[in-house]
Amino acid sequence: MNWQMIVVFLAILLGNLSLRLFIMPWYVNRKISGFQNHLVNKHYDEVETMYRKMRGWRHDYHNHIQTLKAYMTMAQYKEAARYLDRLEEDLANVDMVLRTGNVMADAILNSKLTLIQERNIQVDATVTVPGNLPISDIDLSVLIGNLLDNAMEACIKLPEQDRFIRIYIDTLKQQLYISVTNSMPGSAKRKGNRFISEKEGQHGFGLLRIDDIVAKHSGYLNRQAENGVFATEVMLPLQTAEFSNKV
């Protein structure tokens, strides 16, 4: 082997090492960062939509009061009662469903619950979240948002009567315990011991981001799929976080 071949060989070797050590990690981190920014912006838009509805209702509050006063002045009590019933239905569509005591958890959970209800998915949610968490708002938003997005995407492939999502979040032995269970069609795809997404492109980073956040916080992650039901459990250490028992 002459010196020219040696140089070519070393150049190829260095190129492969550079690709593995620098270019590929940079590319993956860039894709993950782009996905995370997309997801956070999506969650922000969902929360903003919910609060915009609430602000709209409050803006109309004065008009509603004037209408009810007019009914009462004319002794049209049945009409006033029917008007109140309609207002109650309207308010139910914009009122926050859960109040956990944690602002970020409230925002992301209620925005997702609004979407879940719009998709005619039966939902059962029991949530208690510490007021202060050793987890960034972005990580919490990405984690909960991905779990519920994945659950919704599986459910909407089923007939309405078969759709359900169960959400349970609480503190357990100084850890934040998150459980999301949902119905799904068929069986989940696996690659070895890992579940994989059927989606392509940027959306496929959803499961990866959940894995990364759990690992980042030295947490525990368990996924199970059986008989048309998919369940995910996450446990994250709370360390010295202060607790809030508001629901």
Side-chain angles (χ1 to χ4, degrees):
M1 181 180 294
N2 59 37
W3 67 270
Q4 291 178 327
M5 293 182 65
I6 292 174
V7 170
V8 171
F9 174 78
L10 289 175
I12 294 172
L13 180 61
L14 289 173
N16 287 334
L17 285 174
S18 297
L19 181 64
R20 289 176 178 271
L21 295 177
F22 302 107
I23 298 177
M24 284 302 294
W26 172 83
Y27 175 76
V28 171
N29 288 334
R30 182 181 177 185
K31 293 291 287 184
I32 290 175
S33 177
F35 167 77
Q36 178 173 294
N37 291 336
H38 166 79
L39 191 63
V40 170
N41 289 334
K42 175 184 175 184
H43 292 170
Y44 175 84
D45 291 341
E46 291 169 357
V47 173
E48 179 60 26
T49 297
M50 180 182 68
Y51 284 127
R52 192 176 348 20
K53 289 181 180 178
M54 294 176 68
R55 290 194 297 270
W57 198 93
R58 288 171 181 169
H59 177 74
D60 294 336
Y61 180 79
H62 178 73
N63 292 333
H64 295 317
I65 293 297
Q66 294 302 315
T67 300
L68 287 170
K69 281 183 176 179
Y71 280 132
M72 299 301 290
T73 299
M74 295 182 290
Q76 296 179 351
Y77 305 120
K78 289 183 178 180
E79 288 77 3
R82 282 195 290 268
Y83 193 82
L84 283 172
D85 288 340
R86 291 196 297 272
L87 286 181
E88 186 176 20
E89 291 176 5
D90 189 42
L91 181 60
N93 292 327
V94 297
D95 193 23
M96 295 184 73
V97 181
L98 292 175
R99 293 175 178 84
T100 70
N102 181 287
V103 175
M104 176 52 68
D106 284 351
I108 189 62
L109 282 167
N110 285 294
S111 68
K112 293 301 180 184
L113 285 173
T114 298
L115 296 177
I116 289 170
Q117 292 170 344
E118 287 177 354
R119 286 157 174 74
N120 297 315
I121 300 172
Q122 182 181 353
V123 61
D124 179 13
T126 302
V127 181
T128 303
V129 180
N132 296 316
L133 291 171
I135 304 166
S136 72
D137 286 349
I138 288 179
D139 282 353
L140 185 65
S141 175
V142 171
L143 179 61
I144 295 177
N146 266 298
L147 289 170
L148 297 184
D149 280 345
N150 290 342
M152 277 190 283
E153 285 160 3
C155 281
I156 59 176
K157 298 175 183 177
L158 294 167
E160 289 186 7
Q161 66 270 18
D162 296 328
R163 301 174 184 174
F164 73 83
I165 296 176
R166 291 194 291 268
I167 307 164
Y168 182 81
I169 304 177
D170 204 345
T171 55
L172 179 63
K173 296 182 179 179
Q174 297 295 301
Q175 298 190 79
L176 179 66
Y177 176 75
I178 303 173
S179 172
V180 177
T181 305
N182 59 273
S183 55
M184 67 173 185
S187 58
K189 285 189 174 182
R190 284 179 178 268
K191 187 176 183 180
N193 294 325
R194 298 171 64 90
F195 289 99
I196 60 174
S197 173
E198 296 181 357
K199 297 174 291 183
E200 296 181 354
Q202 149 169 293
H203 298 290
F205 283 101
L207 293 176
L208 261 178
R209 290 300 293 136
I210 293 173
D211 295 349
D212 288 345
I213 290 170
V214 173
K216 174 182 176 182
H217 295 280
S218 301
Y220 166 82
L221 174 64
N222 178 43
R223 295 185 178 101
Q224 297 289 334
E226 186 177 357
N227 299 327
V229 176
F230 193 89
T232 304
E233 289 180 305
V234 173
M235 295 184 73
L236 303 175
L238 288 171
Q239 300 172 2
T240 59
E242 297 179 6
F243 296 96
S244 171
N245 293 321
K246 295 181 181 180
V247 179

